[in-house]
Amino acid sequence: MQVATGKSILNGIAIGPLRIYKKAETETAVTSSLTPEEEYARFEEARVKAQEQLGNLYEKALDEVGEDNAAIFEIHQMMLDDDDYLEAVKGIIDTQNATAEYAVTTTGNNFAETFAAMEDAYMQARATDVKDISHRVVNILAGREEGGLLDEKPAILVADDLTPSETVQLDKTKLLGFITRYGSSNSHTAILARTMNIPALIGVDFDDTWDGKLAVLDGYNQCVYIDPAQELLSTMEEKRKSDLKQEALLQGLKRKPNITLDGKEIKGYANIGNAGDVGLVLQNDAQGIGLFRSEFIYLDSDDFPSEEKQFMIYKRVVETMAGRKVIIRTLDIGADKQAPYFELDKEENPALGYRAIRICLTRKEIFKQQLRAILRASAFGTVSIMFPMIISVREVRDAKEIFEECKAELKKQGVAMGEIEVGIMIETPAAVMIADELAEEVEFFSLGTNDLTQYTLAIDRQNPKLDNFYDSHHPAVLRMIRHTIEAGHRHNCWVGICGELGADQTLTETFLRMGVDELSVSPSAVLPLRKLIRSLDLSKEPETK
Ligand code: PEP
Ligand code: MG
């Protein structure tokens, strides 16, 4: 038995085989060391394999979703046989002595641009398809497996690091837990692990011999046991069963209010990253969704998700929540959340860079597409929106103006819409300092304490070396929170917390005494928090620590 330690992201136990995920090189070499003929032969081999995969996908889709929907894979097969496409790839390999990966990527991008510029809507739609097929061939060339990071059997995933977009694409039914060498506890990958209720460890030094071995990931003791001794395995299985029992006990709190012994009631909402998380929200009886990180829809796509696609996702979430509030945070892309098709420049300081509302206000067409989708979904339930990374009144006014513009356009088209409450995230010290003015502009504030801590303490939340300095209990952070709540209330603006600090039970009483109206936490934290709130008595003097 071997033991390795790390830092726990979520307490819990996972037992199963380890599966090491090796990231493919993201940088594609341009020049090949092979002859053009050899390079083209590599391409040809990958292309045949891609055709095979597409054939299998067609059969599977035919069974599961019918002929019309399966047809897309036939179209992809035809595109991979297209003479123009093949000649373009060959041309790049021959004239530039390029690698097959580079030639395919470049051809895919060039063709996509050409299709996108065409008048015909059918041809425009082929832009995404040509990128898709090129991506498939490049994956094969790079030896990446089809179908994500996990194969058929459930496993504990082991990786150097996982980006938010990789994490969001994981098949949660097969993911028992994950272990990474790098990563920090406030990164989005860590947040996703909490949302999915998946035990996870970061900062673990692993090696290739672990692949396939049985392991116990012990989130409580921040370690992983490889090839565990039988006795330990039995103890851990017992512990896991007792965890499940505890969870079942908490289910007894369903439909009960989040009310203290002396009658102070607050809202207990949940944070989600995608529509699939709504099941967890219902299972844990959250009273609403306090933060829908909509950018994960973008991270999960190879190209800008269309208005229709987004509308269907928001509608599904809103309908499933059946009248309970759904707060959709508008696109917060940038910094660690990168989608290549945005083609954002590399920046010296991405956390302080071109991101979130800054992108939305300058690339209005992207923002409007999302706002229209949200407005249309609002006809199906109770929707609120909030804008991220706000630092000024002007930004809020500009965002609201674009929102009103979308509303007017849809109204003119006779599209049904509901009433949408508008709020902002308070996650910069600037927003805290002008909270009185901002509160005049919106109906609610949601404190994003992850970023607020990062910007207040000048500590990169992504940097694992700084984890010990990232003190979210710092008096400066707590004073910022108090100031925001008081300013909001002075102007009839309700105030919630949707950052990770909202789930910190050592601060729940403090937040309630500050007057917070809502706490939005990962779904699995909703009921434990309810249990605690129901045991508090705010009429008593707080214990001095
Ligand atoms: C935050 O910053 O606290 C927040 C909720 O947003 P995110 O973690 O997605 O940046
Ligand atoms: Mg944030």
PDB file of all heavy atoms in Angstrom, residues 5-37:
ATOM      1  N   THR A   5      -0.141  12.370  -0.058  1.00  0.00           N
ATOM      2  CA  THR A   5      -0.989  13.408   0.546  1.00  0.00           C
ATOM      3  C   THR A   5      -1.198  14.570  -0.422  1.00  0.00           C
ATOM      4  O   THR A   5      -0.483  14.728  -1.391  1.00  0.00           O
ATOM      5  CB  THR A   5      -0.355  13.959   1.838  1.00  0.00           C
ATOM      6  OG1 THR A   5       0.959  14.397   1.499  1.00  0.00           O
ATOM      7  CG2 THR A   5      -0.298  12.936   2.924  1.00  0.00           C
ATOM      8  N   GLY A   6      -2.229  15.360  -0.110  1.00  0.00           N
ATOM      9  CA  GLY A   6      -2.536  16.530  -0.932  1.00  0.00           C
ATOM     10  C   GLY A   6      -3.404  17.472  -0.126  1.00  0.00           C
ATOM     11  O   GLY A   6      -3.394  17.426   1.108  1.00  0.00           O
ATOM     12  N   LYS A   7      -4.135  18.301  -0.822  1.00  0.00           N
ATOM     13  CA  LYS A   7      -5.030  19.226  -0.137  1.00  0.00           C
ATOM     14  C   LYS A   7      -6.452  18.912  -0.578  1.00  0.00           C
ATOM     15  O   LYS A   7      -6.726  18.793  -1.778  1.00  0.00           O
ATOM     16  CB  LYS A   7      -4.638  20.657  -0.532  1.00  0.00           C
ATOM     17  CG  LYS A   7      -5.361  21.674   0.258  1.00  0.00           C
ATOM     18  CD  LYS A   7      -4.644  23.001   0.190  1.00  0.00           C
ATOM     19  CE  LYS A   7      -5.431  23.983   1.041  1.00  0.00           C
ATOM     20  NZ  LYS A   7      -4.900  25.300   1.023  1.00  0.00           N
ATOM     21  N   SER A   8      -7.343  18.782   0.384  1.00  0.00           N
ATOM     22  CA  SER A   8      -8.695  18.340   0.055  1.00  0.00           C
ATOM     23  C   SER A   8      -9.572  19.500  -0.414  1.00  0.00           C
ATOM     24  O   SER A   8      -9.547  20.584   0.159  1.00  0.00           O
ATOM     25  CB  SER A   8      -9.297  17.704   1.315  1.00  0.00           C
ATOM     26  OG  SER A   8     -10.588  17.288   1.024  1.00  0.00           O
ATOM     27  N   ILE A   9     -10.356  19.232  -1.439  1.00  0.00           N
ATOM     28  CA  ILE A   9     -11.279  20.231  -1.975  1.00  0.00           C
ATOM     29  C   ILE A   9     -12.678  19.972  -1.440  1.00  0.00           C
ATOM     30  O   ILE A   9     -13.507  20.854  -1.296  1.00  0.00           O
ATOM     31  CB  ILE A   9     -11.312  20.125  -3.519  1.00  0.00           C
ATOM     32  CG1 ILE A   9      -9.975  20.505  -4.104  1.00  0.00           C
ATOM     33  CG2 ILE A   9     -12.406  20.965  -4.130  1.00  0.00           C
ATOM     34  CD1 ILE A   9      -9.583  21.923  -3.811  1.00  0.00           C
ATOM     35  N   LEU A  10     -12.960  18.698  -1.205  1.00  0.00           N
ATOM     36  CA  LEU A  10     -14.283  18.339  -0.698  1.00  0.00           C
ATOM     37  C   LEU A  10     -14.127  17.110   0.187  1.00  0.00           C
ATOM     38  O   LEU A  10     -13.532  16.112  -0.233  1.00  0.00           O
ATOM     39  CB  LEU A  10     -15.220  18.004  -1.866  1.00  0.00           C
ATOM     40  CG  LEU A  10     -16.638  17.680  -1.440  1.00  0.00           C
ATOM     41  CD1 LEU A  10     -17.517  18.902  -1.655  1.00  0.00           C
ATOM     42  CD2 LEU A  10     -17.212  16.525  -2.226  1.00  0.00           C
ATOM     43  N   ASN A  11     -14.633  17.202   1.390  1.00  0.00           N
ATOM     44  CA  ASN A  11     -14.559  16.046   2.267  1.00  0.00           C
ATOM     45  C   ASN A  11     -15.441  14.951   1.724  1.00  0.00           C
ATOM     46  O   ASN A  11     -16.544  15.208   1.270  1.00  0.00           O
ATOM     47  CB  ASN A  11     -15.024  16.418   3.672  1.00  0.00           C
ATOM     48  CG  ASN A  11     -13.971  17.226   4.385  1.00  0.00           C
ATOM     49  OD1 ASN A  11     -12.798  17.161   4.034  1.00  0.00           O
ATOM     50  ND2 ASN A  11     -14.384  17.987   5.376  1.00  0.00           N
ATOM     51  N   GLY A  12     -14.943  13.755   1.782  1.00  0.00           N
ATOM     52  CA  GLY A  12     -15.716  12.644   1.253  1.00  0.00           C
ATOM     53  C   GLY A  12     -14.745  11.552   0.877  1.00  0.00           C
ATOM     54  O   GLY A  12     -13.521  11.762   0.899  1.00  0.00           O
ATOM     55  N   ILE A  13     -15.313  10.381   0.550  1.00  0.00           N
ATOM     56  CA  ILE A  13     -14.449   9.249   0.234  1.00  0.00           C
ATOM     57  C   ILE A  13     -14.816   8.683  -1.123  1.00  0.00           C
ATOM     58  O   ILE A  13     -16.005   8.524  -1.428  1.00  0.00           O
ATOM     59  CB  ILE A  13     -14.600   8.179   1.337  1.00  0.00           C
ATOM     60  CG1 ILE A  13     -13.948   8.761   2.593  1.00  0.00           C
ATOM     61  CG2 ILE A  13     -13.961   6.851   0.936  1.00  0.00           C
ATOM     62  CD1 ILE A  13     -14.020   7.930   3.789  1.00  0.00           C
ATOM     63  N   ALA A  14     -13.804   8.429  -1.922  1.00  0.00           N
ATOM     64  CA  ALA A  14     -14.054   7.769  -3.207  1.00  0.00           C
ATOM     65  C   ALA A  14     -13.203   6.515  -3.256  1.00  0.00           C
ATOM     66  O   ALA A  14     -12.042   6.536  -2.854  1.00  0.00           O
ATOM     67  CB  ALA A  14     -13.677   8.694  -4.352  1.00  0.00           C
ATOM     68  N   ILE A  15     -13.810   5.433  -3.731  1.00  0.00           N
ATOM     69  CA  ILE A  15     -13.059   4.170  -3.837  1.00  0.00           C
ATOM     70  C   ILE A  15     -13.202   3.659  -5.266  1.00  0.00           C
ATOM     71  O   ILE A  15     -14.330   3.563  -5.778  1.00  0.00           O
ATOM     72  CB  ILE A  15     -13.606   3.118  -2.848  1.00  0.00           C
ATOM     73  CG1 ILE A  15     -13.537   3.673  -1.421  1.00  0.00           C
ATOM     74  CG2 ILE A  15     -12.849   1.790  -2.977  1.00  0.00           C
ATOM     75  CD1 ILE A  15     -14.169   2.788  -0.366  1.00  0.00           C
ATOM     76  N   GLY A  16     -12.093   3.364  -5.915  1.00  0.00           N
ATOM     77  CA  GLY A  16     -12.180   2.855  -7.283  1.00  0.00           C
ATOM     78  C   GLY A  16     -10.832   2.873  -7.952  1.00  0.00           C
ATOM     79  O   GLY A  16      -9.832   3.272  -7.348  1.00  0.00           O
ATOM     80  N   PRO A  17     -10.791   2.438  -9.218  1.00  0.00           N
ATOM     81  CA  PRO A  17      -9.504   2.426  -9.925  1.00  0.00           C
ATOM     82  C   PRO A  17      -9.061   3.837 -10.302  1.00  0.00           C
ATOM     83  O   PRO A  17      -9.893   4.716 -10.529  1.00  0.00           O
ATOM     84  CB  PRO A  17      -9.805   1.614 -11.192  1.00  0.00           C
ATOM     85  CG  PRO A  17     -11.262   1.751 -11.399  1.00  0.00           C
ATOM     86  CD  PRO A  17     -11.887   1.921 -10.045  1.00  0.00           C
ATOM     87  N   LEU A  18      -7.751   4.038 -10.348  1.00  0.00           N
ATOM     88  CA  LEU A  18      -7.215   5.332 -10.772  1.00  0.00           C
ATOM     89  C   LEU A  18      -7.062   5.330 -12.280  1.00  0.00           C
ATOM     90  O   LEU A  18      -6.733   4.304 -12.881  1.00  0.00           O
ATOM     91  CB  LEU A  18      -5.838   5.559 -10.133  1.00  0.00           C
ATOM     92  CG  LEU A  18      -5.829   5.673  -8.611  1.00  0.00           C
ATOM     93  CD1 LEU A  18      -4.407   5.515  -8.074  1.00  0.00           C
ATOM     94  CD2 LEU A  18      -6.410   7.008  -8.161  1.00  0.00           C
ATOM     95  N   ARG A  19      -7.297   6.482 -12.852  1.00  0.00           N
ATOM     96  CA  ARG A  19      -7.143   6.569 -14.313  1.00  0.00           C
ATOM     97  C   ARG A  19      -6.352   7.838 -14.590  1.00  0.00           C
ATOM     98  O   ARG A  19      -6.807   8.940 -14.289  1.00  0.00           O
ATOM     99  CB  ARG A  19      -8.536   6.633 -14.929  1.00  0.00           C
ATOM    100  CG  ARG A  19      -8.577   7.082 -16.345  1.00  0.00           C
ATOM    101  CD  ARG A  19      -8.715   5.870 -17.279  1.00  0.00           C
ATOM    102  NE  ARG A  19      -9.315   6.255 -18.533  1.00  0.00           N
ATOM    103  CZ  ARG A  19      -8.623   6.827 -19.518  1.00  0.00           C
ATOM    104  NH1 ARG A  19      -7.360   7.088 -19.369  1.00  0.00           N
ATOM    105  NH2 ARG A  19      -9.226   7.138 -20.646  1.00  0.00           N
ATOM    106  N   ILE A  20      -5.145   7.661 -15.119  1.00  0.00           N
ATOM    107  CA  ILE A  20      -4.301   8.845 -15.369  1.00  0.00           C
ATOM    108  C   ILE A  20      -4.657   9.471 -16.714  1.00  0.00           C
ATOM    109  O   ILE A  20      -4.735   8.786 -17.737  1.00  0.00           O
ATOM    110  CB  ILE A  20      -2.808   8.487 -15.323  1.00  0.00           C
ATOM    111  CG1 ILE A  20      -2.458   8.034 -13.899  1.00  0.00           C
ATOM    112  CG2 ILE A  20      -1.945   9.686 -15.730  1.00  0.00           C
ATOM    113  CD1 ILE A  20      -1.016   7.802 -13.624  1.00  0.00           C
ATOM    114  N   TYR A  21      -4.883  10.750 -16.662  1.00  0.00           N
ATOM    115  CA  TYR A  21      -5.212  11.486 -17.891  1.00  0.00           C
ATOM    116  C   TYR A  21      -4.001  12.290 -18.311  1.00  0.00           C
ATOM    117  O   TYR A  21      -3.505  13.121 -17.565  1.00  0.00           O
ATOM    118  CB  TYR A  21      -6.405  12.400 -17.617  1.00  0.00           C
ATOM    119  CG  TYR A  21      -6.621  13.485 -18.650  1.00  0.00           C
ATOM    120  CD1 TYR A  21      -6.825  13.155 -19.986  1.00  0.00           C
ATOM    121  CD2 TYR A  21      -6.616  14.824 -18.292  1.00  0.00           C
ATOM    122  CE1 TYR A  21      -7.025  14.145 -20.933  1.00  0.00           C
ATOM    123  CE2 TYR A  21      -6.817  15.820 -19.234  1.00  0.00           C
ATOM    124  CZ  TYR A  21      -7.013  15.478 -20.554  1.00  0.00           C
ATOM    125  OH  TYR A  21      -7.206  16.456 -21.477  1.00  0.00           O
ATOM    126  N   LYS A  22      -3.533  12.003 -19.513  1.00  0.00           N
ATOM    127  CA  LYS A  22      -2.372  12.749 -20.038  1.00  0.00           C
ATOM    128  C   LYS A  22      -2.878  13.768 -21.024  1.00  0.00           C
ATOM    129  O   LYS A  22      -3.522  13.436 -22.015  1.00  0.00           O
ATOM    130  CB  LYS A  22      -1.419  11.785 -20.758  1.00  0.00           C
ATOM    131  CG  LYS A  22      -0.557  11.003 -19.813  1.00  0.00           C
ATOM    132  CD  LYS A  22       0.900  11.442 -20.006  1.00  0.00           C
ATOM    133  CE  LYS A  22       1.778  11.095 -18.840  1.00  0.00           C
ATOM    134  NZ  LYS A  22       1.784   9.710 -18.470  1.00  0.00           N
ATOM    135  N   LYS A  23      -2.574  15.002 -20.722  1.00  0.00           N
ATOM    136  CA  LYS A  23      -3.020  16.068 -21.596  1.00  0.00           C
ATOM    137  C   LYS A  23      -2.233  16.050 -22.895  1.00  0.00           C
ATOM    138  O   LYS A  23      -1.035  15.832 -22.883  1.00  0.00           O
ATOM    139  CB  LYS A  23      -2.740  17.400 -20.901  1.00  0.00           C
ATOM    140  CG  LYS A  23      -3.923  18.308 -20.914  1.00  0.00           C
ATOM    141  CD  LYS A  23      -3.575  19.540 -20.152  1.00  0.00           C
ATOM    142  CE  LYS A  23      -4.096  19.446 -18.740  1.00  0.00           C
ATOM    143  NZ  LYS A  23      -5.135  20.326 -18.406  1.00  0.00           N
ATOM    144  N   ALA A  24      -2.942  16.274 -23.989  1.00  0.00           N
ATOM    145  CA  ALA A  24      -2.227  16.363 -25.254  1.00  0.00           C
ATOM    146  C   ALA A  24      -1.530  17.713 -25.301  1.00  0.00           C
ATOM    147  O   ALA A  24      -1.966  18.645 -24.651  1.00  0.00           O
ATOM    148  CB  ALA A  24      -3.222  16.265 -26.387  1.00  0.00           C
ATOM    149  N   GLU A  25      -0.459  17.768 -26.050  1.00  0.00           N
ATOM    150  CA  GLU A  25       0.222  19.052 -26.220  1.00  0.00           C
ATOM    151  C   GLU A  25      -0.759  20.046 -26.805  1.00  0.00           C
ATOM    152  O   GLU A  25      -1.441  19.749 -27.774  1.00  0.00           O
ATOM    153  CB  GLU A  25       1.387  18.911 -27.208  1.00  0.00           C
ATOM    154  CG  GLU A  25       2.532  18.081 -26.682  1.00  0.00           C
ATOM    155  CD  GLU A  25       3.217  18.728 -25.484  1.00  0.00           C
ATOM    156  OE1 GLU A  25       3.365  19.950 -25.503  1.00  0.00           O
ATOM    157  OE2 GLU A  25       3.570  18.001 -24.540  1.00  0.00           O
ATOM    158  N   THR A  26      -0.880  21.202 -26.209  1.00  0.00           N
ATOM    159  CA  THR A  26      -1.811  22.171 -26.785  1.00  0.00           C
ATOM    160  C   THR A  26      -1.164  22.933 -27.941  1.00  0.00           C
ATOM    161  O   THR A  26      -1.813  23.330 -28.872  1.00  0.00           O
ATOM    162  CB  THR A  26      -2.300  23.164 -25.712  1.00  0.00           C
ATOM    163  OG1 THR A  26      -1.201  23.509 -24.921  1.00  0.00           O
ATOM    164  CG2 THR A  26      -3.402  22.575 -24.893  1.00  0.00           C
ATOM    165  N   GLU A  27       0.166  23.088 -27.864  1.00  0.00           N
ATOM    166  CA  GLU A  27       0.862  23.774 -28.947  1.00  0.00           C
ATOM    167  C   GLU A  27       1.057  22.789 -30.095  1.00  0.00           C
ATOM    168  O   GLU A  27       1.599  21.703 -29.902  1.00  0.00           O
ATOM    169  CB  GLU A  27       2.248  24.226 -28.469  1.00  0.00           C
ATOM    170  CG  GLU A  27       2.205  25.255 -27.364  1.00  0.00           C
ATOM    171  CD  GLU A  27       1.919  26.653 -27.891  1.00  0.00           C
ATOM    172  OE1 GLU A  27       2.585  27.052 -28.840  1.00  0.00           O
ATOM    173  OE2 GLU A  27       1.014  27.308 -27.340  1.00  0.00           O
ATOM    174  N   THR A  28       0.602  23.131 -31.263  1.00  0.00           N
ATOM    175  CA  THR A  28       0.799  22.260 -32.414  1.00  0.00           C
ATOM    176  C   THR A  28       2.082  22.683 -33.116  1.00  0.00           C
ATOM    177  O   THR A  28       2.245  23.847 -33.467  1.00  0.00           O
ATOM    178  CB  THR A  28      -0.375  22.409 -33.399  1.00  0.00           C
ATOM    179  OG1 THR A  28      -1.561  22.207 -32.668  1.00  0.00           O
ATOM    180  CG2 THR A  28      -0.284  21.437 -34.537  1.00  0.00           C
ATOM    181  N   ALA A  29       2.970  21.697 -33.329  1.00  0.00           N
ATOM    182  CA  ALA A  29       4.196  22.035 -34.060  1.00  0.00           C
ATOM    183  C   ALA A  29       3.824  22.356 -35.500  1.00  0.00           C
ATOM    184  O   ALA A  29       2.966  21.702 -36.090  1.00  0.00           O
ATOM    185  CB  ALA A  29       5.146  20.854 -34.011  1.00  0.00           C
ATOM    186  N   VAL A  30       4.458  23.370 -36.060  1.00  0.00           N
ATOM    187  CA  VAL A  30       4.118  23.767 -37.432  1.00  0.00           C
ATOM    188  C   VAL A  30       4.922  22.947 -38.433  1.00  0.00           C
ATOM    189  O   VAL A  30       4.371  22.329 -39.341  1.00  0.00           O
ATOM    190  CB  VAL A  30       4.409  25.282 -37.643  1.00  0.00           C
ATOM    191  CG1 VAL A  30       4.085  25.688 -39.066  1.00  0.00           C
ATOM    192  CG2 VAL A  30       3.617  26.113 -36.657  1.00  0.00           C
ATOM    193  N   THR A  31       6.228  22.898 -38.236  1.00  0.00           N
ATOM    194  CA  THR A  31       7.075  22.235 -39.240  1.00  0.00           C
ATOM    195  C   THR A  31       7.312  20.776 -38.871  1.00  0.00           C
ATOM    196  O   THR A  31       7.563  20.443 -37.718  1.00  0.00           O
ATOM    197  CB  THR A  31       8.432  22.964 -39.329  1.00  0.00           C
ATOM    198  OG1 THR A  31       8.161  24.356 -39.369  1.00  0.00           O
ATOM    199  CG2 THR A  31       9.204  22.549 -40.565  1.00  0.00           C
ATOM    200  N   SER A  32       7.244  19.935 -39.904  1.00  0.00           N
ATOM    201  CA  SER A  32       7.387  18.504 -39.662  1.00  0.00           C
ATOM    202  C   SER A  32       8.826  18.048 -39.874  1.00  0.00           C
ATOM    203  O   SER A  32       9.556  18.613 -40.692  1.00  0.00           O
ATOM    204  CB  SER A  32       6.470  17.765 -40.635  1.00  0.00           C
ATOM    205  OG  SER A  32       6.732  16.392 -40.551  1.00  0.00           O
ATOM    206  N   SER A  33       9.182  16.984 -39.173  1.00  0.00           N
ATOM    207  CA  SER A  33      10.508  16.412 -39.410  1.00  0.00           C
ATOM    208  C   SER A  33      10.389  15.267 -40.414  1.00  0.00           C
ATOM    209  O   SER A  33      11.383  14.652 -40.800  1.00  0.00           O
ATOM    210  CB  SER A  33      11.103  15.919 -38.094  1.00  0.00           C
ATOM    211  OG  SER A  33      10.185  15.052 -37.482  1.00  0.00           O
ATOM    212  N   LEU A  34       9.157  14.967 -40.805  1.00  0.00           N
ATOM    213  CA  LEU A  34       8.938  13.886 -41.781  1.00  0.00           C
ATOM    214  C   LEU A  34       8.852  14.468 -43.191  1.00  0.00           C
ATOM    215  O   LEU A  34       8.755  15.689 -43.363  1.00  0.00           O
ATOM    216  CB  LEU A  34       7.619  13.157 -41.472  1.00  0.00           C
ATOM    217  CG  LEU A  34       7.431  12.609 -40.067  1.00  0.00           C
ATOM    218  CD1 LEU A  34       6.044  12.046 -39.902  1.00  0.00           C
ATOM    219  CD2 LEU A  34       8.481  11.532 -39.785  1.00  0.00           C
ATOM    220  N   THR A  35       8.832  13.592 -44.191  1.00  0.00           N
ATOM    221  CA  THR A  35       8.629  14.094 -45.560  1.00  0.00           C
ATOM    222  C   THR A  35       7.138  14.400 -45.732  1.00  0.00           C
ATOM    223  O   THR A  35       6.297  13.832 -45.023  1.00  0.00           O
ATOM    224  CB  THR A  35       9.015  13.030 -46.609  1.00  0.00           C
ATOM    225  OG1 THR A  35       8.106  11.931 -46.435  1.00  0.00           O
ATOM    226  CG2 THR A  35      10.444  12.576 -46.442  1.00  0.00           C
ATOM    227  N   PRO A  36       6.786  15.264 -46.700  1.00  0.00           N
ATOM    228  CA  PRO A  36       5.371  15.545 -46.937  1.00  0.00           C
ATOM    229  C   PRO A  36       4.553  14.275 -47.199  1.00  0.00           C
ATOM    230  O   PRO A  36       3.408  14.161 -46.755  1.00  0.00           O
ATOM    231  CB  PRO A  36       5.388  16.460 -48.160  1.00  0.00           C
ATOM    232  CG  PRO A  36       6.707  17.141 -48.100  1.00  0.00           C
ATOM    233  CD  PRO A  36       7.654  16.144 -47.506  1.00  0.00           C
ATOM    234  N   GLU A  37       5.152  13.304 -47.889  1.00  0.00           N
ATOM    235  CA  GLU A  37       4.414  12.054 -48.181  1.00  0.00           C
ATOM    236  C   GLU A  37       4.091  11.318 -46.884  1.00  0.00           C
ATOM    237  O   GLU A  37       2.985  10.828 -46.683  1.00  0.00           O
ATOM    238  CB  GLU A  37       5.245  11.113 -49.080  1.00  0.00           C
ATOM    239  CG  GLU A  37       5.440  11.555 -50.525  1.00  0.00           C
ATOM    240  CD  GLU A  37       6.363  12.757 -50.639  1.00  0.00           C
ATOM    241  OE1 GLU A  37       7.266  12.914 -49.786  1.00  0.00           O
ATOM    242  OE2 GLU A  37       6.148  13.591 -51.564  1.00  0.00           O
TER     243      GLU A  37
END
